[in-house]
PDB file of all heavy atoms in Angstrom:
ATOM      1  N   ARG A 248      14.310   5.378  22.062  1.00  0.00           N
ATOM      2  CA  ARG A 248      13.351   5.667  20.979  1.00  0.00           C
ATOM      3  C   ARG A 248      14.383   5.968  19.703  1.00  0.00           C
ATOM      4  O   ARG A 248      15.044   6.842  19.679  1.00  0.00           O
ATOM      5  CB  ARG A 248      12.417   6.900  21.205  1.00  0.00           C
ATOM      6  CG  ARG A 248      11.566   7.198  20.036  1.00  0.00           C
ATOM      7  CD  ARG A 248      10.634   8.354  20.461  1.00  0.00           C
ATOM      8  NE  ARG A 248       9.843   8.737  19.417  1.00  0.00           N
ATOM      9  CZ  ARG A 248       8.720   8.336  18.926  1.00  0.00           C
ATOM     10  NH1 ARG A 248       8.235   7.189  19.491  1.00  0.00           N
ATOM     11  NH2 ARG A 248       8.005   8.863  17.951  1.00  0.00           N
ATOM     12  N   VAL A 249      14.237   5.088  18.619  1.00  0.00           N
ATOM     13  CA  VAL A 249      15.211   5.194  17.613  1.00  0.00           C
ATOM     14  C   VAL A 249      14.452   5.618  16.358  1.00  0.00           C
ATOM     15  O   VAL A 249      13.375   5.083  15.911  1.00  0.00           O
ATOM     16  CB  VAL A 249      15.768   3.753  17.275  1.00  0.00           C
ATOM     17  CG1 VAL A 249      16.880   3.885  16.220  1.00  0.00           C
ATOM     18  CG2 VAL A 249      16.440   3.184  18.566  1.00  0.00           C
ATOM     19  N   ILE A 250      14.917   6.663  15.779  1.00  0.00           N
ATOM     20  CA  ILE A 250      14.371   7.264  14.427  1.00  0.00           C
ATOM     21  C   ILE A 250      15.318   7.170  13.399  1.00  0.00           C
ATOM     22  O   ILE A 250      16.509   7.513  13.574  1.00  0.00           O
ATOM     23  CB  ILE A 250      13.934   8.736  14.707  1.00  0.00           C
ATOM     24  CG1 ILE A 250      12.774   8.778  15.720  1.00  0.00           C
ATOM     25  CG2 ILE A 250      13.371   9.307  13.518  1.00  0.00           C
ATOM     26  CD1 ILE A 250      12.256  10.126  16.095  1.00  0.00           C
ATOM     27  N   GLY A 251      14.837   6.688  12.251  1.00  0.00           N
ATOM     28  CA  GLY A 251      15.731   6.769  11.089  1.00  0.00           C
ATOM     29  C   GLY A 251      15.204   7.821   9.996  1.00  0.00           C
ATOM     30  O   GLY A 251      13.946   8.093  10.010  1.00  0.00           O
ATOM     31  N   HIS A 252      16.053   8.421   9.395  1.00  0.00           N
ATOM     32  CA  HIS A 252      15.729   9.437   8.364  1.00  0.00           C
ATOM     33  C   HIS A 252      16.503   9.209   7.129  1.00  0.00           C
ATOM     34  O   HIS A 252      17.674   9.104   7.047  1.00  0.00           O
ATOM     35  CB  HIS A 252      15.983  10.931   8.971  1.00  0.00           C
ATOM     36  CG  HIS A 252      15.191  12.008   8.185  1.00  0.00           C
ATOM     37  ND1 HIS A 252      15.665  12.514   6.969  1.00  0.00           N
ATOM     38  CD2 HIS A 252      14.108  12.740   8.451  1.00  0.00           C
ATOM     39  CE1 HIS A 252      14.895  13.437   6.483  1.00  0.00           C
ATOM     40  NE2 HIS A 252      13.914  13.631   7.465  1.00  0.00           N
ATOM     41  N   PHE A 253      15.809   8.892   6.117  1.00  0.00           N
ATOM     42  CA  PHE A 253      16.393   8.564   4.599  1.00  0.00           C
ATOM     43  C   PHE A 253      16.018   9.677   3.703  1.00  0.00           C
ATOM     44  O   PHE A 253      14.947   9.948   3.436  1.00  0.00           O
ATOM     45  CB  PHE A 253      15.711   7.188   4.285  1.00  0.00           C
ATOM     46  CG  PHE A 253      16.426   6.627   3.127  1.00  0.00           C
ATOM     47  CD1 PHE A 253      17.147   5.419   3.318  1.00  0.00           C
ATOM     48  CD2 PHE A 253      16.468   7.206   1.820  1.00  0.00           C
ATOM     49  CE1 PHE A 253      17.845   4.813   2.159  1.00  0.00           C
ATOM     50  CE2 PHE A 253      17.067   6.541   0.663  1.00  0.00           C
ATOM     51  CZ  PHE A 253      17.764   5.375   1.147  1.00  0.00           C
ATOM     52  N   THR A 254      17.135  10.229   3.147  1.00  0.00           N
ATOM     53  CA  THR A 254      16.987  11.259   2.057  1.00  0.00           C
ATOM     54  C   THR A 254      17.523  10.704   0.824  1.00  0.00           C
ATOM     55  O   THR A 254      18.622  10.123   0.636  1.00  0.00           O
ATOM     56  CB  THR A 254      17.818  12.451   2.422  1.00  0.00           C
ATOM     57  OG1 THR A 254      17.530  12.986   3.614  1.00  0.00           O
ATOM     58  CG2 THR A 254      17.752  13.472   1.430  1.00  0.00           C
ATOM     59  N   LEU A 255      16.535  10.687  -0.194  1.00  0.00           N
ATOM     60  CA  LEU A 255      16.837  10.115  -1.594  1.00  0.00           C
ATOM     61  C   LEU A 255      17.145  11.223  -2.463  1.00  0.00           C
ATOM     62  O   LEU A 255      16.284  12.032  -2.933  1.00  0.00           O
ATOM     63  CB  LEU A 255      15.635   9.239  -2.049  1.00  0.00           C
ATOM     64  CG  LEU A 255      15.777   8.801  -3.420  1.00  0.00           C
ATOM     65  CD1 LEU A 255      16.851   7.794  -3.545  1.00  0.00           C
ATOM     66  CD2 LEU A 255      14.342   8.123  -3.920  1.00  0.00           C
ATOM     67  N   LEU A 256      18.429  11.428  -2.950  1.00  0.00           N
ATOM     68  CA  LEU A 256      18.957  12.243  -4.105  1.00  0.00           C
ATOM     69  C   LEU A 256      18.547  13.628  -3.662  1.00  0.00           C
ATOM     70  O   LEU A 256      18.311  14.618  -4.473  1.00  0.00           O
ATOM     71  CB  LEU A 256      18.239  11.896  -5.365  1.00  0.00           C
ATOM     72  CG  LEU A 256      18.600  10.432  -5.937  1.00  0.00           C
ATOM     73  CD1 LEU A 256      17.732  10.167  -7.079  1.00  0.00           C
ATOM     74  CD2 LEU A 256      20.163  10.527  -6.315  1.00  0.00           C
ATOM     75  N   ASN A 257      18.411  13.966  -2.330  1.00  0.00           N
ATOM     76  CA  ASN A 257      18.089  15.229  -1.701  1.00  0.00           C
ATOM     77  C   ASN A 257      16.742  15.791  -2.364  1.00  0.00           C
ATOM     78  O   ASN A 257      16.477  16.961  -2.681  1.00  0.00           O
ATOM     79  CB  ASN A 257      19.115  16.377  -2.000  1.00  0.00           C
ATOM     80  CG  ASN A 257      18.942  17.501  -1.074  1.00  0.00           C
ATOM     81  OD1 ASN A 257      18.319  17.389  -0.035  1.00  0.00           O
ATOM     82  ND2 ASN A 257      19.565  18.594  -1.379  1.00  0.00           N
ATOM     83  N   ALA A 258      15.846  14.823  -2.792  1.00  0.00           N
ATOM     84  CA  ALA A 258      14.598  15.145  -3.523  1.00  0.00           C
ATOM     85  C   ALA A 258      13.465  14.736  -2.592  1.00  0.00           C
ATOM     86  O   ALA A 258      12.291  15.465  -2.548  1.00  0.00           O
ATOM     87  CB  ALA A 258      14.550  14.472  -4.948  1.00  0.00           C
ATOM     88  N   ALA A 259      13.604  13.503  -2.056  1.00  0.00           N
ATOM     89  CA  ALA A 259      12.361  13.099  -1.183  1.00  0.00           C
ATOM     90  C   ALA A 259      13.076  12.398   0.102  1.00  0.00           C
ATOM     91  O   ALA A 259      14.201  12.063   0.024  1.00  0.00           O
ATOM     92  CB  ALA A 259      11.591  11.954  -2.033  1.00  0.00           C
ATOM     93  N   ALA A 260      12.357  12.518   1.145  1.00  0.00           N
ATOM     94  CA  ALA A 260      12.887  11.925   2.327  1.00  0.00           C
ATOM     95  C   ALA A 260      11.692  11.454   3.263  1.00  0.00           C
ATOM     96  O   ALA A 260      10.570  11.712   3.119  1.00  0.00           O
ATOM     97  CB  ALA A 260      13.500  13.125   3.117  1.00  0.00           C
ATOM     98  N   TRP A 261      12.084  10.428   4.064  1.00  0.00           N
ATOM     99  CA  TRP A 261      11.108   9.726   4.970  1.00  0.00           C
ATOM    100  C   TRP A 261      11.671   9.705   6.429  1.00  0.00           C
ATOM    101  O   TRP A 261      12.861   9.387   6.745  1.00  0.00           O
ATOM    102  CB  TRP A 261      10.774   8.334   4.555  1.00  0.00           C
ATOM    103  CG  TRP A 261      10.259   8.358   3.109  1.00  0.00           C
ATOM    104  CD1 TRP A 261       8.841   8.519   2.851  1.00  0.00           C
ATOM    105  CD2 TRP A 261      10.789   8.384   1.894  1.00  0.00           C
ATOM    106  NE1 TRP A 261       8.794   8.366   1.447  1.00  0.00           N
ATOM    107  CE2 TRP A 261       9.814   8.322   0.771  1.00  0.00           C
ATOM    108  CE3 TRP A 261      12.244   8.221   1.479  1.00  0.00           C
ATOM    109  CZ2 TRP A 261      10.247   8.378  -0.482  1.00  0.00           C
ATOM    110  CZ3 TRP A 261      12.529   8.147   0.140  1.00  0.00           C
ATOM    111  CH2 TRP A 261      11.472   8.251  -0.824  1.00  0.00           C
ATOM    112  N   GLN A 262      10.835   9.859   7.395  1.00  0.00           N
ATOM    113  CA  GLN A 262      11.184   9.598   8.746  1.00  0.00           C
ATOM    114  C   GLN A 262      10.620   8.163   9.010  1.00  0.00           C
ATOM    115  O   GLN A 262       9.449   7.889   8.732  1.00  0.00           O
ATOM    116  CB  GLN A 262      10.430  10.606   9.686  1.00  0.00           C
ATOM    117  CG  GLN A 262      10.541  10.351  11.103  1.00  0.00           C
ATOM    118  CD  GLN A 262       9.264  10.666  11.885  1.00  0.00           C
ATOM    119  OE1 GLN A 262       8.209  10.207  11.551  1.00  0.00           O
ATOM    120  NE2 GLN A 262       9.329  11.467  12.983  1.00  0.00           N
ATOM    121  N   VAL A 263      11.448   7.327   9.718  1.00  0.00           N
ATOM    122  CA  VAL A 263      11.018   6.012  10.060  1.00  0.00           C
ATOM    123  C   VAL A 263      11.204   5.852  11.709  1.00  0.00           C
ATOM    124  O   VAL A 263      12.347   5.956  12.101  1.00  0.00           O
ATOM    125  CB  VAL A 263      11.669   4.981   9.258  1.00  0.00           C
ATOM    126  CG1 VAL A 263      11.104   3.519   9.734  1.00  0.00           C
ATOM    127  CG2 VAL A 263      11.626   5.170   7.891  1.00  0.00           C
ATOM    128  N   ILE A 264      10.133   5.568  12.424  1.00  0.00           N
ATOM    129  CA  ILE A 264      10.390   5.145  13.738  1.00  0.00           C
ATOM    130  C   ILE A 264      10.799   3.710  13.804  1.00  0.00           C
ATOM    131  O   ILE A 264       9.778   2.869  13.817  1.00  0.00           O
ATOM    132  CB  ILE A 264       8.973   5.630  14.549  1.00  0.00           C
ATOM    133  CG1 ILE A 264       8.743   7.077  14.377  1.00  0.00           C
ATOM    134  CG2 ILE A 264       9.251   5.281  16.087  1.00  0.00           C
ATOM    135  CD1 ILE A 264       7.329   7.376  15.078  1.00  0.00           C
ATOM    136  N   LEU A 265      11.959   3.412  14.097  1.00  0.00           N
ATOM    137  CA  LEU A 265      12.420   2.123  14.041  1.00  0.00           C
ATOM    138  C   LEU A 265      12.022   1.427  15.408  1.00  0.00           C
ATOM    139  O   LEU A 265      11.836   0.204  15.311  1.00  0.00           O
ATOM    140  CB  LEU A 265      13.920   2.108  13.707  1.00  0.00           C
ATOM    141  CG  LEU A 265      14.271   2.680  12.372  1.00  0.00           C
ATOM    142  CD1 LEU A 265      15.889   2.838  12.456  1.00  0.00           C
ATOM    143  CD2 LEU A 265      13.941   1.854  11.233  1.00  0.00           C
ATOM    144  N   ALA A 266      12.130   2.009  16.469  1.00  0.00           N
ATOM    145  CA  ALA A 266      11.793   1.446  17.889  1.00  0.00           C
ATOM    146  C   ALA A 266      11.161   2.445  18.649  1.00  0.00           C
ATOM    147  O   ALA A 266      11.657   3.568  18.754  1.00  0.00           O
ATOM    148  CB  ALA A 266      13.094   0.901  18.492  1.00  0.00           C
ATOM    149  N   GLU A 267       9.998   2.246  19.210  1.00  0.00           N
ATOM    150  CA  GLU A 267       9.286   3.191  19.968  1.00  0.00           C
ATOM    151  C   GLU A 267      10.080   3.425  21.331  1.00  0.00           C
ATOM    152  O   GLU A 267      10.155   4.515  21.798  1.00  0.00           O
ATOM    153  CB  GLU A 267       7.852   2.578  20.341  1.00  0.00           C
ATOM    154  CG  GLU A 267       6.971   2.587  19.144  1.00  0.00           C
ATOM    155  CD  GLU A 267       6.352   3.848  18.775  1.00  0.00           C
ATOM    156  OE1 GLU A 267       6.829   4.907  19.300  1.00  0.00           O
ATOM    157  OE2 GLU A 267       5.380   3.805  18.043  1.00  0.00           O
ATOM    158  N   THR A 268      10.534   2.288  21.818  1.00  0.00           N
ATOM    159  CA  THR A 268      11.383   2.498  23.123  1.00  0.00           C
ATOM    160  C   THR A 268      12.209   1.196  23.244  1.00  0.00           C
ATOM    161  O   THR A 268      11.916   0.195  22.464  1.00  0.00           O
ATOM    162  CB  THR A 268      10.554   2.651  24.348  1.00  0.00           C
ATOM    163  OG1 THR A 268      11.230   2.963  25.495  1.00  0.00           O
ATOM    164  CG2 THR A 268       9.578   1.472  24.709  1.00  0.00           C
ATOM    165  N   GLY A 269      13.145   1.248  24.083  1.00  0.00           N
ATOM    166  CA  GLY A 269      13.937  -0.023  24.339  1.00  0.00           C
ATOM    167  C   GLY A 269      15.080  -0.260  23.408  1.00  0.00           C
ATOM    168  O   GLY A 269      15.759  -1.396  23.620  1.00  0.00           O
ATOM    169  N   GLY A 270      15.358   0.657  22.403  1.00  0.00           N
ATOM    170  CA  GLY A 270      16.468   0.350  21.627  1.00  0.00           C
ATOM    171  C   GLY A 270      17.766   0.837  22.147  1.00  0.00           C
ATOM    172  O   GLY A 270      17.771   1.313  23.359  1.00  0.00           O
ATOM    173  N   PRO A 271      18.804   0.778  21.443  1.00  0.00           N
ATOM    174  CA  PRO A 271      20.039   1.182  22.047  1.00  0.00           C
ATOM    175  C   PRO A 271      20.022   2.780  22.245  1.00  0.00           C
ATOM    176  O   PRO A 271      19.515   3.510  21.374  1.00  0.00           O
ATOM    177  CB  PRO A 271      21.135   1.000  20.973  1.00  0.00           C
ATOM    178  CG  PRO A 271      20.265   0.871  19.728  1.00  0.00           C
ATOM    179  CD  PRO A 271      19.119   0.278  20.135  1.00  0.00           C
ATOM    180  N   PRO A 272      20.333   3.307  23.411  1.00  0.00           N
ATOM    181  CA  PRO A 272      20.163   4.778  23.787  1.00  0.00           C
ATOM    182  C   PRO A 272      21.226   5.511  23.189  1.00  0.00           C
ATOM    183  O   PRO A 272      22.463   5.117  23.013  1.00  0.00           O
ATOM    184  CB  PRO A 272      20.325   4.675  25.388  1.00  0.00           C
ATOM    185  CG  PRO A 272      21.104   3.415  25.718  1.00  0.00           C
ATOM    186  CD  PRO A 272      20.819   2.533  24.682  1.00  0.00           C
ATOM    187  N   ASN A 273      20.861   6.813  22.910  1.00  0.00           N
ATOM    188  CA  ASN A 273      21.847   7.791  22.537  1.00  0.00           C
ATOM    189  C   ASN A 273      22.768   7.492  21.362  1.00  0.00           C
ATOM    190  O   ASN A 273      23.970   7.720  21.202  1.00  0.00           O
ATOM    191  CB  ASN A 273      22.782   8.260  23.711  1.00  0.00           C
ATOM    192  CG  ASN A 273      21.951   8.734  24.793  1.00  0.00           C
ATOM    193  OD1 ASN A 273      21.049   9.570  24.708  1.00  0.00           O
ATOM    194  ND2 ASN A 273      22.316   8.236  25.990  1.00  0.00           N
ATOM    195  N   VAL A 274      22.089   6.840  20.268  1.00  0.00           N
ATOM    196  CA  VAL A 274      22.850   6.367  19.141  1.00  0.00           C
ATOM    197  C   VAL A 274      22.855   7.478  18.147  1.00  0.00           C
ATOM    198  O   VAL A 274      21.862   8.238  18.009  1.00  0.00           O
ATOM    199  CB  VAL A 274      22.155   5.077  18.570  1.00  0.00           C
ATOM    200  CG1 VAL A 274      22.627   4.916  17.039  1.00  0.00           C
ATOM    201  CG2 VAL A 274      22.424   3.957  19.291  1.00  0.00           C
TER     202      VAL A 274
END
Side-chain angles (χ1 to χ4, degrees):
R248 178 175 171 83
V249 185
I250 295 180
H252 198 277
F253 191 111
T254 299
L255 171 66
L256 298 170
N257 200 21
W261 298 270
Q262 172 222 52
V263 184
I264 301 174
L265 301 167
E267 293 280 16
T268 187
N273 302 316
V274 163

